[in-house]
Amino acid sequence: MSSFASKLVSSHQALVSAALCVSLRLAAVLPQRTQRYAEGRREKAAPFRLGYRPALDGLRGVAILAVLAVHTSHIFGWSLLKGANAGVDIFFVLSGFLITTLLIEEWEQTGDVSLKSFYWRRALRLVPALLVLLTVLYFLSDLFFSPVEANDTRRGIPVAFVYASDLALAFFQLHLGALQHTWSLAIEEHFYLIWPVLLLAALKFGIRKKSLVLITLLVVIASGLRRASLHQFGAPPVRTYYGIDTRADALLIGCVTGLCVSWGLVHVRALKPFLVPALMFIGFCMVATGFGSSFMTLGGFTLLAIATAVVIVNVVLAPPGYLSSFLEFGPLVWIGRISYGLYLWHYPIFKATSFLKMSWPGQLAVALAVTVMVTSLSYYLIERPALSLKRRHKKAQEIVITAR
């Protein structure tokens, strides 16, 4: 591993350790004067409960299919949809929305948020499948990739393990081989480390709902302006596309959506006229744009996140309609449920099948078949057992809360 990667891994490990310590101790050190506010919040009924929404899994399915379509360039040199990396932005907005909604639900029910339980559940959801992927690539890279690609992949293993791929790409321009796609997982991990802590602090200090929404929107604007200014001053696309500071707007727009939906600050009737334009804009981004285009960098990514937020609000608040029926289509929901594994495994498999000597439809068929097979094994043998532990832990937490 290069000196850059070594420094990156060691510094990132220290950052993660410090963030976790702060996260686990925050509730204990915040002033006691906020206790009465928390108790008052506990007495109020939550205006919104998320529950399980199959349509959101369907939206995940659309996002991962888009990602697969854009990454066909690693199989036969061109993409089925050149702008379908928009699927990653859909994932970002969904993550911000879901995490925020669940945190607000816990706060409304208990007057507190257990950061320890939150991080434990996130670890059970994300780490087991990633560890298996990294282990497989460590032992089999030489078999499936060129020597240069195999060396880059092995160098990327410790970087991906500590969720520093975004930093490696944006600030050091390292090549991570078959692990380059882990940049988005790293950005989401940084989001998990920072946002719950800040949200809990805001709730405990009694910041007003609309003020918190406004502050978050200001950070959204700052992130978009940061990306645009870097682009205008000649920063390369890898800096503006992979940096957490330049991609935070999508996650935070999801957070704002979660806050507004949870607190009843948004009404679906007001957004309904924007649903069709939002869907059309998402489709336009997938078909006609690219991740490094000036249009996307100078505001397109932010507009895409807003369009995704409009879709989410309509899915969770509007009465059943054509959109929810489409997103609740069984196979699409199943694809959404296994989307994490699909995202992990498709990239190295697509790169490996590029060496097959056959027509591009044959290459694509083999790549998709192997991806679905490996992902299914990962989901049913690794992810689902870990998810069962996650559910058991959540039930145990609910019992403790009820007994208080």
Side-chain angles (χ1 to χ4, degrees):
M1 185 172 62
S2 69
S3 60
F4 274 138
S6 300
K7 293 178 182 177
L8 182 63
V9 170
S10 60
S11 61
H12 193 268
Q13 285 175 327
L15 175 63
V16 170
S17 299
L20 283 174
C21 289
V22 171
S23 302
L24 296 178
R25 293 179 179 271
L26 177 64
V29 301
L30 284 173
Q32 293 296 320
R33 63 184 174 83
T34 62
Q35 182 177 358
R36 283 178 294 177
Y37 174 80
E39 290 172 353
R41 296 292 296 149
R42 190 183 302 131
E43 294 172 0
K44 294 181 181 180
F48 176 78
R49 289 289 178 265
L50 183 63
Y52 174 63
R53 307 288 179 121
L56 294 181
D57 269 337
L59 187 57
R60 277 198 187 100
V62 172
I64 190 60
L65 289 175
V67 172
L68 296 181
V70 75
H71 284 164
T72 54
S73 61
H74 297 293
I75 305 177
F76 38 74
W78 51 274
S79 297
L80 294 177
L81 288 174
K82 69 175 185 177
N85 48 10
V88 173
D89 294 82
I90 295 175
F91 277 125
F92 282 166
V93 180
L94 268 171
S95 293
F97 171 77
L98 291 170
I99 293 302
T100 301
T101 304
L102 294 174
L103 291 172
I104 293 295
E105 280 189 17
E106 185 177 347
W107 173 261
E108 295 283 354
Q109 291 174 356
T110 69
D112 201 358
V113 173
S114 173
L115 294 173
K116 180 179 179 181
S117 296
F118 171 81
Y119 290 122
W120 177 242
R121 292 194 302 268
R122 287 291 86 200
L124 287 174
R125 177 68 185 95
L126 302 174
V127 174
L130 177 64
L131 285 177
V132 173
L133 171 70
L134 298 180
T135 303
V136 169
L137 289 178
Y138 179 80
F139 288 106
L140 299 182
S141 289
D142 288 323
L143 183 62
F144 291 108
F145 306 124
S146 68
V148 173
E149 186 86 7
N151 182 61
D152 288 343
T153 300
R154 277 193 296 269
R155 179 174 58 184
I157 288 174
V159 177
F161 177 70
V162 297
Y163 291 97
S165 302
D166 56 336
L167 305 178
L169 292 169
F171 296 101
F172 296 93
Q173 285 80 53
L174 294 180
H175 296 285
L176 304 180
L179 288 169
Q180 183 143 332
H181 66 309
T182 58
W183 70 272
S184 65
L185 305 180
I187 283 184
E188 292 205 20
E189 187 65 22
H190 297 152
F191 164 72
Y192 297 145
L193 287 173
I194 298 169
W195 173 249
V197 177
L198 296 179
L199 179 59
L200 178 58
L203 293 171
K204 281 187 172 283
F205 279 117
I207 295 178
R208 294 180 179 179
K209 296 175 181 178
K210 291 183 180 180
S211 297
L212 181 55
V213 170
L214 178 60
I215 292 169
T216 310
L217 284 174
L218 290 175
V219 182
V220 168
I221 294 171
S223 176
L225 291 176
R226 171 69 171 165
R227 181 175 59 241
S229 63
L230 285 172
H231 176 78
Q232 291 295 88
F233 284 105
V238 291
R239 173 64 185 89
T240 58
Y241 187 72
Y242 296 122
I244 186 172
D245 56 331
T246 55
R247 299 310 308 276
D249 53 343
L251 285 158
L252 292 175
I253 286 171
C255 295
V256 169
T257 307
L259 293 174
C260 291
V261 168
S262 297
W263 289 334
L265 300 178
V266 63
H267 301 285
V268 70
R269 286 184 180 179
L271 292 182
K272 194 171 184 180
F274 299 99
L275 177 58
V276 172
L279 292 171
M280 292 177 64
F281 184 77
I282 293 171
F284 167 77
C285 290
M286 290 186 178
V287 173
T289 65
F291 84 94
S293 69
S294 295
F295 171 76
M296 295 303 292
T297 305
L298 297 177
F301 285 123
T302 304
L303 292 175
L304 174 60
I306 293 171
T308 303
V310 171
V311 172
I312 291 173
V313 171
N314 277 272
V315 165
V316 300
L317 294 182
Y322 292 112
L323 178 61
S324 59
S325 297
F326 169 73
L327 293 176
E328 290 175 5
F329 179 56
L332 190 61
V333 172
W334 181 74
I335 291 172
R337 295 186 72 176
I338 65 170
S339 60
Y340 177 59
L342 283 171
Y343 188 84
L344 282 179
W345 290 99
H346 86 279
Y347 196 82
I349 291 173
F350 278 23
K351 279 182 168 287
T353 53
S354 66
F355 296 101
L356 296 177
K357 304 299 182 182
M358 57 177 66
S359 63
W360 73 262
Q363 286 180 306
L364 180 61
V366 171
L368 291 177
V370 174
T371 298
V372 172
M373 181 185 67
V374 174
T375 298
S376 298
L377 291 173
S378 172
Y379 180 73
Y380 290 106
L381 299 181
I382 301 166
E383 295 175 57
R384 281 190 70 175
L387 286 172
S388 66
L389 290 175
K390 174 185 170 183
R391 293 190 191 100
R392 249 183 280 173
H393 181 270
K394 188 174 182 180
K395 287 181 180 179
Q397 183 186 5
E398 290 173 352
I399 292 173
V400 171
I401 291 171
T402 305
R404 286 178 179 174

